[in-house]
């Protein structure tokens, strides 16, 4: 069972069934993990949600789409030492994403790495035809090999994020449980609506994930109430509590499901994976 601090009080005692094994793999559903505000748990959620799905037998590909390369580092890949990363495939005339995919310590979980080179992509792509669809073109050859592809977006609303939204089926918005973090969500939802209208009609907001929650404080509880009033059932019932185990796992360069498999943080991400399956957002 999930520990109590992994649940929003309104959903105490509720759980979601463990997903059934898949008879086959693919085509992948693509999720963009996006929020233009930094430090809200995008990378932590990308890594640990991907690892939770991998534990449930899903084949998962994490696409590090942030020049800081945090997802790569968090999964134990030294992207700075690689000759080719996602940047090279984005700007290539004939991209070969299979050549850069890196295995991780977690079975069923692979990585498309990124490093600081990716920061030049917006400049290089600006004069390209269909520049917003560069990532879509890169990922197309591996869609049938994975069940889920999670894109860890950079904290901005620039061309890289537009590429991620254009490639995605859904968006998860990690939102820190504090009032200032809520102020920028309107800008992100406007950007999502523009991409829906002009580039990717299938795109939808899958949900809002509350992160860094401390239920001991009135502030966190009030933010949760306010977010639920604003977004309704788009807010996942699972939330992620603040804990030192997440940075510890990052330093160890493994998901928390591997670093501290019985910790409530690992349990919360497994529950989030089950919730996404129950909502029909993942296979």
């Amino acid at each position: 069972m999930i520990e109590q601090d992994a649940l929003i009080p309104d959903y105490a005692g509720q759980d979601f069934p463990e997903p059934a094994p898949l008879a086959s793999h693919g085509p992948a559903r693509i999720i963009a993990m996006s929020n233009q505000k930094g430090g809200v748990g995008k990378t932590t959620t990308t890594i640990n949600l991907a690892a939770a799905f991998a534990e449930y037998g899903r084949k998962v590909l994490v696409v590090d789409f942030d020049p800081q390369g945090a997802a790569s580092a968090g999964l134990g890949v030294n992207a700075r030492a690689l000759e080719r990363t996602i940047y090279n495939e984005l700007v290539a005339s004939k991209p070969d994403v299979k050549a850069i995919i890196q295995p991780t310590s977690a079975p069923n979980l692979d990585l498309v790495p990124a490093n600081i080179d990716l920061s030049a992509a917006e400049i290089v792509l600006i004069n390209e035809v269909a520049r917003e669809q560069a990532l879509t073109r890169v990922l197309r050859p591996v869609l049938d090999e994975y069940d889920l592809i999670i894109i860890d977006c950079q904290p901005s609303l620039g061309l890289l994020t537009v590429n991620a939204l254009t490639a995605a089926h859904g968006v998860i918005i990690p939102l820190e449980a504090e009032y200032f973090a809520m102020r920028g969500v309107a800008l992100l939802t406007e950007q999502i609506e523009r991409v829906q209208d002009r580039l990717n009609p299938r795109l939808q907001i899958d949900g809002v994930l509350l992160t860094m929650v401390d239920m001991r404080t009135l502030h966190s509880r009030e933010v949760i109430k306010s977010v639920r009033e604003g977004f309704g059932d788009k807010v996942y019932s699972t939330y992620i509590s603040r804990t030192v185990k997440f940075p510890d796992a990052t330093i160890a360069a493994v998901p928390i499901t591997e670093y501290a498999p019985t910790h409530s943080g690992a349990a919360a991400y497994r529950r989030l994976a089950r919730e996404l399956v129950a909502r029909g957002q993942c296979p």
Side-chain angles (χ1 to χ4, degrees), residues 29-33 135-136 139 149 151 162-171 195 200-204:
R29 188 169 192 272
I30 303 174
I31 294 175
M33 199 70 63
L135 181 60
T136 303
L139 295 179
I149 296 175
I151 306 170
V162 171
N163 260 266
L165 296 177
T166 302
H169 298 92
V171 186
V195 172
N200 183 8
R202 72 183 179 184
L203 182 65
Q204 63 184 42

Side-chain angles (χ1 to χ4, degrees), residues 29-53 60-68 70-71 75 109 118 135 139 148-158 160-176 185 188-189 191-192 203-212 234 236 238 240 268-269 272-273 276 281-282:
R29 188 169 192 272
I30 303 174
I31 294 175
M33 199 70 63
S34 184
N35 190 327
Q36 76 272 22
K37 186 179 185 300
V40 298
K42 287 189 301 296
T43 301
T44 297
T45 296
T46 296
I47 291 172
N48 294 303
L49 179 61
F53 271 111
V60 187
L61 180 66
V62 167
V63 178
D64 191 347
F65 217 48
D66 185 343
Q68 297 180 52
L75 285 169
L109 177 54
L118 186 58
L135 181 60
L139 295 179
L148 181 64
I149 296 175
I150 304 180
I151 306 170
D152 185 31
C153 299
Q154 68 175 153
S156 82
L157 295 178
L160 289 179
T161 299
V162 171
N163 260 266
L165 296 177
T166 302
H169 298 92
V171 186
I172 292 177
I173 304 173
L175 186 64
E176 184 181 1
V185 175
L188 176 59
T189 55
Q191 180 80 309
I192 291 169
L203 182 65
Q204 63 184 42
I205 296 177
D206 283 349
V208 176
L209 174 68
L210 286 155
T211 63
M212 304 181 191
K234 286 291 186 184
Y236 293 112
T238 308
I240 310 302
Y269 276 112
L272 178 63
L276 262 64
Q281 296 173 357
C282 291

Side-chain angles (χ1 to χ4, degrees), residues 66-83:
D66 185 343
Q68 297 180 52
S72 300
L75 285 169
V77 174
N78 181 10
R80 291 176 296 179
L82 298 176
E83 291 186 6

Side-chain angles (χ1 to χ4, degrees), residues 22 25 35 68 73 79 89 105 107 118 120 138 174 178 180 187 236 256:
L22 297 177
H25 297 290
N35 190 327
Q68 297 180 52
E89 307 314 315
S105 62
L118 186 58
V138 168
E178 62 98 19
F180 288 117
L187 291 175
Y236 293 112
I256 195 171

Side-chain angles (χ1 to χ4, degrees), residues 238-274:
T238 308
Y239 70 69
I240 310 302
S241 296
R242 188 183 297 275
T243 171
V244 296
K245 287 294 185 182
F246 290 125
D248 287 349
T250 298
I251 293 171
V254 293
I256 195 171
T257 51
E258 183 176 335
Y259 179 78
T262 61
H263 189 267
S264 61
Y269 276 112
R270 293 188 188 103
R271 184 181 191 274
L272 178 63
R274 298 196 301 273

